[in-house]
Amino acid sequence: ALIRRGQIQGVKLRTGVVVPRLITAENTVTGVETRAGVFRASAVVLATGGRSCRALGSTGAGLSMAQQAGHTLVKLLPALVPLVVGETWVSRLAGVSLSEARIDIHLPRQTRIGVPGNILFTHRGLSGPAVLDVSGDIASLLEKHQTVPVRLSLLAGVSPSDWEVVFDQWREEAGRKKIANLLDWKLPASLARVICDHVGGLEATTASSLSRDQRQQLIKMLTAL
């Protein structure tokens, strides 16, 4: 529809033409210089995108042209991007998502509390809407810190004291069931297994035989992974 309307209006469409710079005169943009020649114009719309994906053409060339027109640039940082994490165990969970989780940036004096929402584990780290929401903040912090620790609450709004109640109920009502199987009621099975592996010694542990120390380790992983 856009192309048809352009044709009606007499628009000339040129593709595959590289534009290295703008032509300016007396603080006014008067056209563009291309490798196919110079094109004069009474106005130029600069709509090139950023530099997020060179393979798709967003090389950042438009930013230098914006500077040619007198604009100043702030430091460019990635945002709305997945996170790469240092832990290797996340690759075991690639494709697993949590629909009601929460991610928090865990640094002193970091005012952003956190973001609830969907979190997706990937081969290299974390993605999903909640992660994308905080990725810009994390990119900014990575300018000052070598790494930025984050914590996940696997069920947003379920506090450590809430989990204490859950474990008490399991001990009373499902004491013979294995903890790993009970966690499957709340979490994806693969994630429950990873958590149990981290705590260690829970393969055959039942709700009634879970030690106080094991319970505390589990609660920490469930609320501040």
Side-chain angles (χ1 to χ4, degrees), residues 89-90 93-98 119-127 152 154 191 225:
W89 55 261
V90 296
L93 299 172
V96 173
S97 65
L98 302 171
I119 291 176
L120 172 70
F121 289 92
T122 70
H123 287 287
R124 300 178 64 198
L126 301 169
S127 188
L152 303 183
L154 304 183
L191 178 56
L225 180 60

Side-chain angles (χ1 to χ4, degrees), residues 130-163:
V131 172
L132 300 184
D133 279 349
V134 298
S135 62
D137 298 275
I138 292 173
S140 179
L141 290 167
L142 283 170
E143 292 290 294
K144 305 173 185 177
H145 304 275
Q146 186 175 4
T147 60
V148 174
V150 297
R151 287 184 173 180
L152 303 183
S153 175
L154 304 183
L155 287 174
V158 182
S159 67
S161 59
D162 293 331
W163 278 110

Side-chain angles (χ1 to χ4, degrees), residues 11-148:
V11 172
K12 294 179 181 179
L13 179 64
R14 295 178 181 268
T15 60
V17 178
V18 177
V19 181
R21 75 180 190 91
L22 301 175
I23 299 172
T24 59
E26 299 180 353
N27 295 321
T28 302
V29 178
T30 60
V32 294
E33 178 185 303
T34 78
R35 294 177 185 173
V38 172
F39 293 87
R40 298 288 177 177
S42 58
V44 173
V45 177
L46 183 62
T48 64
R51 62 176 191 189
S52 58
C53 188
R54 294 184 67 88
L56 296 179
S58 54
T59 62
L63 299 170
S64 63
M65 283 189 279
Q67 287 180 304
Q68 292 169 22
H71 292 285
T72 55
L73 302 180
V74 298
K75 184 176 179 61
L76 298 179
L77 293 170
L80 294 176
V81 292
L83 302 179
V84 175
V85 303
E87 290 82 355
T88 58
W89 55 261
V90 296
S91 62
R92 295 169 53 188
L93 299 172
V96 173
S97 65
L98 302 171
S99 60
E100 299 178 1
R102 181 184 180 90
I103 181 170
D104 291 272
I105 299 172
H106 187 59
L107 278 175
R109 296 182 298 277
Q110 176 57 37
T111 56
R112 191 182 184 99
I113 297 174
V115 175
N118 186 283
I119 291 176
L120 172 70
F121 289 92
T122 70
H123 287 287
R124 300 178 64 198
L126 301 169
S127 188
V131 172
L132 300 184
D133 279 349
V134 298
S135 62
D137 298 275
I138 292 173
S140 179
L141 290 167
L142 283 170
E143 292 290 294
K144 305 173 185 177
H145 304 275
Q146 186 175 4
T147 60
V148 174

Side-chain angles (χ1 to χ4, degrees), residues 186-206:
K186 303 286 186 180
L187 303 170
S190 55
L191 178 56
R193 287 194 296 272
V194 167
I195 290 174
C196 289
D197 288 346
H198 273 284
V199 174
L202 296 183
E203 294 81 4
T205 302
T206 63

Side-chain angles (χ1 to χ4, degrees), residues 167-186:
F167 279 111
D168 284 340
Q169 290 176 339
W170 284 348
R171 184 182 60 207
E172 296 296 326
E173 301 171 7
R176 295 184 179 182
K177 291 186 178 294
K178 295 179 180 179
I179 283 295
N181 295 336
L182 290 170
L183 285 172
D184 286 356
W185 295 356
K186 303 286 186 180

